[in-house]
Amino acid sequence: MYLSRMKLVTIFILIGAVTAFDVIREAFRIIDDSQDPCENFYRHACPIGSDRDLLIATAYDDLLFRIKAKSVNAIWNNLEIEKTLLRIPSRELTTTNNFIGGLFLAQCEDKHVGREDLVNFLKQIEHYYFQFSGSNCEFDECLSALASDHNCTRASEKLKATLTKLDFTFFDLSEFWKEYFRAAKQGLDGVNALLDGESKQGVSKVQHLIERMQKKLISWVNETDWAINNGAEEAIIEETLQVHHYDNYADSMRKNLQFLMKLEQDYLKCLRDTKREHDFETFCVLMSIFASIEKYPDLTFFTFYNAFNAHPQLSFSQLFYDMAENVGESAGVLGSVGYIAGHELSHTLIENANAPQLIPYFSNESMQCIQNQYQKTCDHFEEESCGASDNQIDENGADMLGLQLAYSLFEEEYQGRMNEEYIRIQNFEEYRSITMEQLFFYSTAFVACSGKSQKQRLGDGHSPLNVRVNAVFQHPGFRKAFNCPANSTMVESFNEQCIIFGKGAPEMRR
């Protein structure tokens, strides 16, 4: 493997031992000093050859195990319906309507099963599948008459034809709902750990970061000529002020509990009402799922690696809260969690100028500058495939503005201290000092670090990770931090400084 031939660096910690897990500090172990940071910073900080898909996601395996262990005996981790769902041989079964029709046929042809039992079976379908209660059914969704048809095959075929509305393969349905169970339980596990003291300070720090960035954005908007010249600055500021950090975790816990317990209660009630075993367990899983087919787990709080803007609400993974709390140096927090927070906040303000959604006007010049930078970065650093298309404007712009916001806070906090030493690393016999400003940029690369060759996924609004990182490092602070020469690839891949909001933004005169 290529990994075995890498020149990996070793960290020499020059300060006291850190008891908390500092994922950014640990990530310096993977950088490849044989790759010049000014030639391809992403692959210098995150070499190809690692087994890891996402560095941060895999680095937190121990934390996620600890979070789950806190609630291993909780009711949501011991659901009978989920146990049955995991037992179902989904690859061996066909479609759901064929299964239900076949189950009806087997009962109909069983001399030990009376008409009353068949009616009860059909009433279960009316109740769970069609959401009817008692005799309240309509037209072909009234099924009980099928129990009186002496031609069992005909009745079974009629039943199957009636159930096509929710016709899935067992495998697709099973995999889909396993993900639903996983998402709901992760949210509950996370809230339970949070209430037990896990990452509480990190939540407050993320909230504070967002508030600082909102103030920064508002000051920039008030200095943005393209917004002022188009009379849009007040509306843009109003959209910015609407954004808030989601922290109503008790509500998230309530919603996920309701979602799971409704499934569990429906499943257990169906089992009691059918009074049978074996295939009826599978039948009752289907009935419970169909009764909740348009309901979803709550994803406003979660433990998997993600963050999102559902304007006006911002949500973050618990992993980012842990980073905000335990990454020991603020420059590392700002470059990682700060960049993520800036990215999510920026989603509210980045628009396709040809089809704005939230804000009434967006600069076409800014949009073109962003896209041109991403295309030029792609041209220099393409691995498998990449390219800047219209569906990436939102994500590309959020990357760029998010980095600018995070770096601005870094400048304020580290004024006069940017060149202070953070750590010293050794590559064979040579030592190299990592400054605070360099730490900021390393931490941005680390949160997007994948050891796999990158390609553009069809329809994905995100650019490949290597392009995202190298594109936002067109920031002049990067060139200064690493003293990159004019003929280096990182500098040659810079298009122009894309100032989206603030002094120097496009449309200075009209």
Side-chain angles (χ1 to χ4, degrees):
M1 290 180 64
Y2 179 67
L3 180 61
S4 64
R5 299 195 297 271
M6 285 180 194
K7 294 180 180 178
L8 299 180
V9 302
T10 303
I11 300 177
F12 278 73
I13 307 297
L14 300 183
I15 59 176
V18 180
T19 55
F21 176 59
D22 186 337
V23 66
I24 297 299
R25 199 175 186 88
E26 290 294 317
F28 275 97
R29 299 183 186 278
I30 72 166
I31 69 172
D32 180 9
D33 256 358
S34 68
Q35 174 76 257
D36 187 337
C38 292
E39 292 302 314
N40 184 342
F41 187 80
Y42 183 79
R43 286 308 177 198
H44 158 73
C46 186
I48 282 182
S50 167
D51 292 334
R52 296 167 174 170
D53 187 18
L54 275 170
L55 167 70
I56 300 299
T58 55
Y60 273 108
D61 284 346
D62 287 344
L63 171 69
L64 296 180
F65 181 82
R66 188 171 74 246
I67 286 174
K68 187 166 184 61
K70 287 177 180 288
S71 54
V72 66
N73 294 319
I75 189 171
W76 61 82
N77 282 317
N78 295 277
L79 299 172
E80 292 303 319
I81 182 175
E82 186 181 20
K83 294 175 185 176
T84 301
L85 181 66
L86 294 173
R87 287 198 303 268
I88 294 174
S90 59
R91 292 183 182 274
E92 299 175 16
L93 301 174
T94 58
T95 60
T96 55
N97 66 331
N98 280 334
F99 171 80
I100 294 171
L103 189 57
F104 173 82
L105 178 62
Q107 293 178 87
C108 182
E109 293 178 340
D110 187 342
K111 295 180 180 179
H112 298 95
V113 177
R115 181 181 179 280
E116 182 180 343
D117 290 326
L118 284 178
V119 170
N120 180 55
F121 176 79
L122 295 166
K123 286 294 183 184
Q124 299 298 316
I125 299 172
E126 287 182 6
H127 175 68
Y128 294 108
Y129 191 100
F130 293 118
Q131 309 292 299
F132 294 134
S133 58
S135 60
N136 180 26
C137 63
E138 298 175 357
F139 295 104
D140 61 340
E141 295 172 357
C142 297
L143 304 176
S144 58
L146 295 176
S148 299
D149 192 338
H150 295 292
N151 187 328
C152 294
T153 300
R154 179 175 59 203
S156 172
E157 291 301 316
K158 175 64 172 69
L159 178 60
K160 286 191 282 188
T162 305
L163 302 181
T164 55
K165 184 176 71 172
L166 295 176
D167 183 23
F168 302 93
T169 68
F170 255 95
F171 179 75
D172 288 344
L173 185 76
S174 175
E175 293 304 299
F176 186 80
W177 278 83
K178 284 175 187 176
E179 286 300 315
Y180 267 21
F181 278 106
R182 186 177 297 114
K185 293 195 303 176
Q186 283 180 336
L188 289 165
D189 289 342
V191 174
N192 187 57
L194 192 72
L195 296 175
D196 199 35
E198 195 85 49
S199 308
K200 265 192 172 181
Q201 292 181 10
V203 173
S204 299
K205 288 184 177 181
V206 171
Q207 172 70 36
H208 185 52
L209 266 177
I210 294 169
E211 291 170 352
R212 291 167 65 193
M213 287 180 172
Q214 282 177 302
K215 291 178 182 177
K216 178 70 64 177
L217 260 179
I218 290 169
S219 70
W220 286 356
V221 172
N222 280 322
E223 298 173 336
T224 304
D225 284 344
W226 66 255
I228 296 168
N229 293 337
N230 287 276
E233 75 276 19
E234 290 186 7
I236 295 172
I237 290 171
E238 177 62 27
E239 295 291 353
T240 305
L241 289 170
Q242 287 178 9
V243 177
H244 60 271
H245 171 234
Y246 176 83
D247 62 357
N248 190 353
Y249 304 126
D251 186 58
S252 179
M253 175 171 259
R254 177 184 60 80
K255 289 177 180 176
N256 275 324
L257 272 175
Q258 286 179 344
F259 171 76
L260 291 177
M261 295 316 298
K262 171 69 164 56
L263 286 161
E264 179 78 344
Q265 289 163 5
D266 281 345
Y267 172 69
L268 295 176
K269 183 177 186 301
C270 175
L271 283 180
R272 288 195 301 271
D273 291 343
T274 56
K275 301 175 184 176
R276 290 184 174 83
E277 299 177 355
H278 307 306
D279 285 342
F280 285 89
E281 287 187 339
T282 302
F283 171 77
C284 287
V285 167
L286 289 179
M287 292 300 102
S288 178
I289 284 175
F290 287 145
S292 297
I293 201 72
E294 295 183 354
K295 297 179 175 64
Y296 313 95
D298 181 77
L299 293 179
T300 46
F301 182 71
F302 44 92
T303 58
F304 52 90
Y305 185 84
N306 196 15
F308 62 87
N309 177 321
H311 182 85
Q313 182 173 286
L314 306 184
S315 293
F316 297 85
S317 166
Q318 190 162 15
L319 305 188
F320 294 124
Y321 296 137
D322 186 87
M323 290 175 68
E325 182 170 316
N326 293 315
V327 169
E329 185 61 54
S330 182
V333 175
L334 289 168
S336 57
V337 182
Y339 163 66
I340 298 292
H343 172 99
E344 297 308 332
L345 175 58
S346 297
H347 269 307
T348 289
L349 301 188
I350 299 294
E351 299 276 25
N352 182 333
N354 301 314
Q357 294 178 322
L358 282 173
I359 64 177
Y361 179 84
F362 191 73
S363 164
N364 187 66
E365 289 87 345
S366 292
M367 184 185 78
Q368 290 303 318
C369 184
I370 293 165
Q371 292 298 84
N372 290 343
Q373 178 59 64
Y374 273 75
Q375 185 58 57
K376 194 167 184 180
T377 302
C378 168
D379 293 340
H380 280 78
F381 299 105
E382 180 176 5
E383 293 184 348
E384 293 188 32
S385 60
C386 59
S389 59
D390 286 350
N391 74 318
Q392 296 168 306
I393 292 169
D394 188 14
E395 293 293 342
N396 291 346
D399 278 349
M400 195 163 286
L401 182 56
L403 191 281
Q404 292 170 4
L405 285 168
Y407 186 82
S408 181
L409 296 187
F410 166 77
E411 279 187 306
E412 290 180 356
E413 189 169 331
Y414 282 83
Q415 188 172 11
R417 299 193 298 122
M418 291 186 182
N419 291 323
E420 282 185 9
E421 184 175 271
Y422 167 60
I423 55 174
R424 190 171 298 172
I425 59 177
Q426 180 188 8
N427 181 21
F428 294 98
E429 300 302 322
E430 298 178 0
Y431 292 85
R432 181 163 67 86
S433 176
I434 302 295
T435 68
M436 294 300 180
E437 189 170 27
Q438 290 173 343
L439 167 62
F440 173 89
F441 291 106
Y442 273 115
S443 60
T444 301
F446 290 153
V447 292
C449 178
S450 170
K452 297 182 178 180
S453 181
Q454 293 295 294
K455 64 181 177 180
Q456 183 67 50
R457 300 188 183 279
L458 185 65
D460 190 350
H462 300 83
S463 297
L465 293 170
N466 67 314
V467 174
R468 295 179 70 178
V469 170
N470 284 346
V472 297
F473 287 175
Q474 56 88 33
H475 195 287
F478 174 82
R479 281 166 269 180
K480 175 169 63 73
F482 291 91
N483 194 27
C484 293
N487 63 349
S488 65
T489 309
M490 287 295 291
V491 174
E492 288 181 343
S493 68
F494 299 155
N495 190 51
E496 62 177 299
Q497 177 68 13
C498 297
I499 303 174
I500 304 167
F501 291 100
K503 292 179 180 179
E507 298 190 54
M508 296 299 292
R509 294 179 297 276
R510 289 183 67 84

